Amino acid sequence: EIFIMHGEEMAEKTQILGSTPLEEEPLYGKTYLPRKFKVAVAIPPCNDVDVFAHCCGFIAIIENDKLLGFNVSVGGGLGFTHNNQKTHPRLAEVIGFCEPKDAKYVCEAVMTVQRDFGDRTNRKHARLKYCVEDYGAEFFREQVEERLGKRLEPARPYKFESRSDLYGWVKTDDGLWHCGCLVPIGRVKDNWRTGLAKIA
């Protein structure tokens, strides 16, 4: 709590920060998630985001240049603790298909299942991948559908042909050229800014 003291001999104080009335956050409710929640979107044939290594993944299903929707994957994560056999990497499982207009609501439903069923007693067992593993993908899908208010459709066929970082010049289907650059630790500094400005 932070107060400002004012008035004669600083006799009065007015609170300016801290102890605000408890508000319920629209998605988290009155609590936070047990651990981080990672989301990725992959557009086949490229899986450059490694969609199966994320808590929630959306695999775009495109036919005749039209986005039909997304296959939804849940329960991925590559982290583990050395010498702790209870922690391990896990690939996400595809639980169904949703239309584009439902994707954000599906993501919200996946997150709220993690919020409500995630393990808060053990930090090393708190990621969504363990929630899916403990309860099963079928139970998880049912919980998502209940919160969504509708069933997910069966997953659609797709094929990944590559999973890599696109460095260098690449020409895309629209005829435009793009340059993928390695940015160490995500920091653009010194002469890099000038060089990137010239390329752009």
Side-chain angles (χ1 to χ4, degrees):
E1 297 177 337
I2 299 176
F3 294 90
I4 291 181
M5 304 298 289
H6 57 92
E8 286 186 34
E9 297 183 27
M10 307 292 275
E12 299 175 44
K13 65 181 185 178
T14 304
Q15 184 176 352
I16 60 170
L17 283 175
S19 294
T20 55
L22 183 63
E23 293 181 23
E24 190 165 322
E25 205 279 333
L27 296 178
Y28 293 147
K30 292 183 179 178
T31 183
Y32 288 110
L33 294 176
R35 285 292 302 273
K36 62 187 172 184
F37 181 76
K38 295 170 40 180
V39 180
V41 178
I43 304 172
C46 299
N47 184 16
D48 299 335
V49 295
D50 208 357
V51 73
F52 297 112
H54 291 77
C55 300
C56 182
F58 292 92
I59 302 165
I61 304 300
I62 300 171
E63 288 181 11
N64 301 320
D65 292 330
K66 183 178 182 205
L67 176 64
L68 302 180
F70 301 94
N71 282 347
V72 181
S73 65
V74 295
L78 298 181
F80 67 99
T81 302
H82 293 283
N83 298 323
N84 184 345
Q85 305 236 340
K86 293 181 181 177
T87 66
H88 50 81
R90 184 179 194 282
L91 292 177
E93 298 178 53
V94 176
I95 61 169
F97 172 87
C98 72
E99 295 178 1
K101 65 182 174 60
D102 294 328
K104 75 175 187 175
Y105 302 111
V106 169
C107 191
E108 178 182 325
V110 169
M111 190 213 63
T112 59
V113 174
Q114 165 66 352
R115 177 196 68 200
D116 297 345
F117 290 94
D119 185 355
R120 294 177 187 279
T121 62
N122 180 356
R123 187 173 189 276
K124 299 205 180 294
H125 192 259
R127 291 287 306 277
L128 186 134
K129 65 181 178 178
Y130 299 115
C131 188
V132 174
E133 189 165 277
D134 291 347
Y135 291 96
E138 184 68 20
F139 170 86
F140 204 92
R141 183 184 53 74
E142 289 169 1
Q143 287 293 317
V144 168
E145 290 173 342
E146 182 180 311
R147 292 154 198 258
L148 188 60
K150 65 197 293 189
R151 295 194 60 135
L152 294 173
E153 296 177 30
R156 307 276 176 96
Y158 64 94
K159 182 179 179 184
F160 286 127
E161 296 174 358
S162 67
R163 183 182 60 85
S164 63
D165 294 317
L166 298 174
Y167 295 128
W169 288 101
V170 178
K171 187 174 184 179
T172 52
D173 295 339
D174 57 8
L176 297 176
W177 286 90
H178 305 273
C179 183
C181 302
L182 173 64
V183 180
I185 314 174
R187 297 181 184 196
V188 179
K189 57 184 183 177
D190 301 330
N191 293 333
W192 275 72
R193 290 184 187 154
T194 306
L196 289 172
K198 287 181 181 177
I199 291 172

